[in-house]
Amino acid sequence: MSFALRLAAPAAVLFASLSIAQAFPQDGQFYQGFTCPSEGFEPGTESTASLSFPTLCLFEQCCELSNPINVRDMDQIFLYDGACTAEGVDFDARLLVGEASIDGMVVVINNNAYTYARCEP
């Protein structure tokens, strides 16, 4: 393998990982629905989600996201493998996660789809 090719391979991997991280919704606190509650947002309660990539927590369930696959013709939507835990039980899940048309994110897990609005960055 040529010297230039050996240098290019790690750069390509770095570029691909950066583009995935940039396309993913930014870390933050989210509330299920199209707006944050008017009476104030309380993280960790029912109908809330938090994202600190690669960890996504939906109320009492947290998943470590890995193996991102971009959904064709949907630039900011990815399928992930999730190593999840809920109420002390570990399980694997397939999640679709991406930016919502509002300032927030969309999550599909276990045949359920949720839209979350960003409440606190």
Side-chain angles (χ1 to χ4, degrees), residues 16-87:
S17 65
L18 288 175
S19 63
I20 290 170
Q22 290 170 343
F24 199 85
Q26 296 297 312
D27 291 354
Q29 302 291 325
F30 301 85
Y31 187 78
Q32 189 175 339
F34 296 105
T35 60
C36 295
S38 58
E39 66 275 0
F41 176 77
E42 190 175 328
T45 59
E46 191 171 352
S47 299
T48 63
S50 66
L51 175 64
S52 180
F53 192 75
T55 303
L56 173 65
C57 294
L58 310 170
F59 185 43
E60 295 178 340
Q61 166 179 292
C62 288
C63 298
E64 293 295 318
L65 305 176
S66 64
N67 192 27
I69 298 172
N70 188 238
V71 176
R72 182 183 48 179
D73 296 329
M74 300 177 86
D75 294 335
Q76 299 174 356
I77 304 290
F78 294 88
L79 288 171
Y80 289 93
D81 293 329
C84 305
T85 302
E87 299 177 0

